[in-house]
Amino acid sequence: MRSQLVLATFLATSILFGACNPTPTNTRTATQYTDDLGRSVEIVVPVTKMVSLAPNLTEIVFAAGAGDRLSGVTTADNFPPEVDTIPKFNAVPIDFEAIRTLEPDVVLATDQVNSPKDASMFESLGTPVYFLTFSSLDDIFDAVVTVGSLAGTKRRASDHSTTLRQAVMDLRDRTRVIESRPRVLFLIGEDTLFGFGEGSYVHEIIDAAGGISVSANEPLAAPVFSDEYVVEQEPDVIVGSFPPDVDAGRLLELHPAWRTVPAIQKGRVYAINPDVVLRPGPRVVEGAYRMALLLHPELFGDSAVTSSR
Amino acid sequence: MPRNILLFALALIVFAPSLLFALTLGDSVSTADVARTIGSRFSDSIAPPGGATDDIVWLLRIPRSLMAVVCGGGLAIVGVAMQALVRNPLAEPYILGISSGASAGASLFFLGLLPPIVSRAATLPVAAFLGGLLSVTVVYLIAREGPRLSVARLLLAGVAISALMGSITSVVTFASPDPDKIRTVLFWLLGSLGGSRWDLLAVPAASTLVGGFVLVGFSRQMDALLTGEEPARSLGVPVEGLKTILILIGALVTGTLVSATGVIGFIGLVIPHVVRLLIGVSHSRVIPLSFLLGGAFLLWSDTIARSIFPSQDLPVGVVTAIFGVPFFLALLRRSEYRFG
């Protein structure tokens, strides 16, 4: 049982970025698509050259089995290792000249980092832009299929998408039996307390991992929490994209008023690899398993805990 | 004269309920909780309220409210001093490049280009203060003409140094590879009372009090300065010495405040004018009342910010302008305003 769960993590992450796939059929046709922002885009499919404007989009392309169609990625890309062989460009601000030189069939963008202004610039250059949005885990898994259908690798993409979904469902099954779910506060940064409000997939990760996300119903999407909020919410666990040396003592040093917070008192403060939580891409599945290991180490073998950290 | 005494009494009367309101905002803290929290610090017979409430009042709300009063009051009196120094109603605490210098110092430190001297939390204010001090020093040296200080040069050098420091901040932020740190810098630049703690309160409070008393002590000379440098000199005012003192006070108070809370705009520019609209131009009255009104104004701005988004740290600078500007414009339109 335990080893199966850990295996699922690796399945979800490593295998998906595996080998290439057969070349697409020779017939290429211009097709109208409606992207996640409701924009109408004409793309010649299957595409042979794609450019990704964000690291999570790159990971989604690889998960869709279309990594070999990427002709350009951003300088922020670092996963999977194959990205090191792909030409890189600056994404903030976008290096339009470099991307134009790559002559992509389609540019993949996300409204998390790209503005509609960028899209109109690409349109004037004659390059179609496909926007993807991610507010739930399903959006991420759907995006894998979408990219697969653009690249002509739809079957492979659908299979991978199903595997990812299944891995999350397996985790939910495993954590369903937990009776007392800890209240979890997820933070970006230990000093200024950026977090996630309603409409974020991060709450789903925490939920699947067997926790209750404290900030799931905060009205703003990207809130900055006050010290008082943390004291009042009394989270049992604080997980964040902190530097690895951040622990309860360090947080207490930065926020002395947190001394009554259960997570501080019990020392349940954990740093998590930001790339597997903050990037809405296929590795969120690994993020969910890592979160589960932090929240409920008793559900997994000791070896699993150590190997994951 | 009774009118002035009345205004002072009014300002003091406004303060107590303002503080109480700020401290008891929201459902979690009652007036009794505040009383017990404070009482338990002075008498063993009073038990503090339950753990979290005691911490919320004593470690968060009281230092934050006091920081609001100190910062609002301090910026207002420095505004008065700067307006007297350059005899221009548009002057404010940041004209000498202090805020932009402090921002540049803070961002250089945040992004790891300056080493942490003490602990990280204590070094940020130091880096900001040094940045502000460097800017003022450069501006001051440029503005010197032999024994005299040229006000025109002072203003122009201040604008130029502000632009330079602003560029440094932008370049450092732009070149940083770490998006988390950029967010933190940008948030800090907007100005917030969120990080206020007892140990960060002492230096700004002390420098503001010292600055306030020195300014009140020189209020007659500042009155004379408003009539012009030559008339002031003929009245026996040591004009050059006074200008240097005003710059020193401005640098000290603004530097310590900016390093504690970031850049909070509007108060230093507008509060002195509001006070002059209410009680005239005499500095012996303008300075104390500016402190009281500035402090109360920032306290209320912060209270409003916290009640709009209870769980969040909304940068207070956003609120000061939104609520302050319409009030100020209305007052400006209705009254016959005299600056000097």
Side-chain angles (χ1 to χ4, degrees):
Chain A
M1 253 320 215
R2 285 170 177 170
S3 52
Q4 273 182 334
L5 278 169
V6 180
L7 188 68
T9 312
F10 291 118
L11 268 177
T13 56
S14 52
I15 292 183
L16 296 186
F17 301 110
C20 307
N21 39 277
T23 42
T25 48
N26 289 329
T27 51
R28 303 187 68 217
T29 50
T31 313
Q32 286 288 334
Y33 284 89
T34 305
D35 72 6
D36 287 0
L37 295 185
R39 301 163 59 252
S40 187
V41 198
E42 189 179 88
I43 304 169
V44 178
V45 289
V47 295
T48 54
K49 283 179 172 181
M50 277 192 270
V51 158
S52 150
L53 293 185
N56 65 314
L57 300 172
T58 304
E59 295 189 24
I60 286 171
V61 172
F62 274 93
D68 56 344
R69 316 284 153 79
L70 277 171
S71 54
V73 295
T74 76
T75 47
D77 275 271
N78 57 5
F79 193 88
E82 289 93 311
V83 296
D84 291 344
T85 61
I86 302 172
K88 297 200 173 178
F89 55 82
N90 265 313
V92 184
I94 296 178
D95 186 346
F96 290 101
E97 294 185 14
I99 296 172
R100 180 68 188 83
T101 316
L102 297 170
E103 298 188 325
D105 300 324
V106 67
V107 169
L108 296 178
T110 169
D111 60 344
Q112 279 187 314
V113 288
N114 307 119
S115 71
K117 198 179 128 211
D118 299 337
S120 49
M121 178 59 109
F122 278 116
E123 274 158 19
S124 71
L125 293 170
T127 307
V129 183
Y130 195 103
F131 268 91
L132 292 157
T133 65
F134 307 97
S135 54
S136 67
L137 292 181
D138 273 335
D139 287 348
I140 299 167
F141 305 143
D142 289 345
V144 173
V145 179
T146 303
V147 171
S149 65
L150 292 177
T153 57
K154 190 164 183 182
R155 251 194 71 179
R156 194 184 165 84
S158 297
D159 289 349
H160 287 165
S161 181
T162 308
T163 311
L164 291 167
R165 266 183 234 271
Q166 190 58 48
V168 174
M169 284 202 297
D170 289 348
L171 182 63
R172 282 187 187 280
D173 284 343
R174 188 64 183 147
T175 56
R176 189 160 288 135
V177 299
I178 293 158
E179 281 171 5
S180 65
R181 294 183 155 232
R183 291 167 56 75
V184 180
L185 178 64
F186 189 89
L187 296 173
I188 308 169
E190 70 278 20
D191 197 350
T192 305
L193 307 172
F194 295 94
F196 290 95
E198 67 182 6
S200 168
Y201 63 88
V202 170
H203 309 306
E204 284 183 73
I205 291 180
I206 292 169
D207 184 53
I212 300 167
S213 181
V214 165
S215 64
N217 296 315
E218 286 302 314
L220 294 190
V224 179
F225 298 123
S226 60
D227 278 345
E228 204 171 305
Y229 175 79
V230 180
V231 173
E232 281 177 344
Q233 291 296 321
E234 303 187 326
D236 301 306
V237 181
I238 295 176
V239 184
S241 56
F242 306 136
D245 61 327
V246 169
D247 57 9
R250 177 82 186 113
L251 288 187
L252 196 58
E253 197 180 300
L254 290 166
H255 310 276
W258 290 9
R259 60 186 184 188
T260 57
V261 173
I264 301 289
Q265 291 187 335
K266 295 181 209 146
R268 297 204 68 185
V269 172
Y270 306 113
I272 197 166
N273 175 8
D275 288 356
V276 299
V277 178
L278 300 185
R279 286 185 187 181
R283 284 195 291 166
V284 290
V285 175
E286 184 189 337
Y289 276 82
R290 279 181 188 264
M291 186 73 78
L293 282 165
L294 296 174
L295 300 184
H296 304 290
E298 74 280 1
L299 283 183
F300 304 88
D302 290 341
S303 57
V305 177
T306 44
S307 71
S308 178
R309 295 175 102 184
Chain B
M1 269 304 165
R3 185 176 128 98
N4 301 333
I5 295 164
L6 195 71
L7 274 169
F8 274 109
L10 204 67
L12 283 172
I13 291 166
V14 163
F15 245 96
S18 298
L19 267 172
L20 190 63
F21 190 82
L23 293 178
T24 56
L25 186 75
D27 300 330
S28 60
V29 180
S30 68
T31 309
D33 290 332
V34 173
R36 281 165 62 198
T37 301
I38 298 172
S40 69
R41 295 297 184 292
F42 296 101
S43 164
D44 289 339
S45 60
I46 301 171
T53 306
D54 184 65
D55 281 357
I56 287 174
V57 174
W58 186 256
L59 295 179
L60 295 173
R61 292 195 175 182
I62 293 180
R64 185 185 184 121
S65 302
L66 292 179
M67 186 69 96
V69 172
V70 164
C71 184
L75 288 173
I77 61 168
V78 175
V80 173
M82 291 299 122
Q83 287 167 5
L85 172 69
V86 302
R87 295 189 303 286
N88 186 321
L90 284 177
E92 38 107 19
Y94 304 139
I95 49 163
L96 301 180
I98 295 172
S99 59
S100 49
S103 301
S107 48
L108 281 170
F109 166 71
F110 255 122
L111 303 175
L113 298 174
L114 294 177
I117 305 164
V118 209
S119 73
R120 200 172 159 275
T123 312
L124 171 69
V126 175
F129 182 75
L130 291 178
L133 198 65
L134 179 72
S135 298
V136 178
T137 309
V138 172
V139 169
Y140 179 79
L141 292 177
I142 289 173
R144 279 183 71 90
E145 287 177 294
R148 290 195 176 186
L149 198 62
S150 158
V151 166
R153 277 198 201 180
L154 200 64
L155 278 170
L156 289 172
V159 170
I161 290 291
S162 290
L164 176 67
M165 290 295 172
S167 293
I168 291 176
T169 306
S170 301
V171 167
V172 168
T173 314
F174 185 81
S176 165
D178 191 336
D180 287 346
K181 287 184 175 170
I182 294 176
R183 273 197 292 267
T184 302
V185 171
L186 293 179
F187 188 79
W188 187 85
L189 292 180
L190 286 171
S192 168
L193 296 163
S196 304
R197 293 178 357 207
W198 284 109
D199 54 340
L200 296 178
L201 187 61
V203 173
S207 67
T208 298
L209 278 179
V210 168
F213 281 116
V214 171
L215 289 180
V216 170
F218 282 97
S219 53
R220 295 187 70 86
Q221 286 87 336
M222 287 165 73
D223 288 344
L225 191 61
L226 273 190
T227 63
E229 286 191 23
E230 286 313 317
R233 211 168 269 125
S234 67
L235 289 171
V237 175
V239 170
E240 294 309 318
L242 179 60
K243 286 196 285 192
T244 305
I245 286 169
L246 292 180
I247 289 176
L248 281 176
I249 296 289
L252 175 73
V253 177
T254 315
T256 52
L257 291 179
V258 169
S259 61
T261 63
V263 181
I264 297 173
F266 181 74
I267 290 177
L269 171 68
V270 161
I271 295 294
H273 295 310
V274 172
V275 170
R276 286 193 202 95
L277 283 165
L278 294 173
I279 58 160
V281 295
S282 165
H283 282 97
S284 61
R285 286 172 284 163
V286 167
I287 292 164
L289 199 64
S290 291
F291 179 85
L292 290 174
L293 201 62
F297 180 70
L298 191 57
L299 183 62
W300 273 104
S301 298
D302 190 49
T303 307
I304 290 169
R306 288 196 296 134
S307 51
I308 297 175
F309 295 110
S311 61
Q312 299 220 29
D313 260 339
L314 183 71
V316 68
V318 177
V319 180
T320 53
I322 288 179
F323 290 92
V325 169
F327 169 75
F328 174 62
L329 291 180
L331 200 62
L332 199 61
R333 186 88 190 111
R334 277 178 46 190
S335 317
E336 189 187 325
Y337 182 52
R338 230 159 36 92
F339 174 65

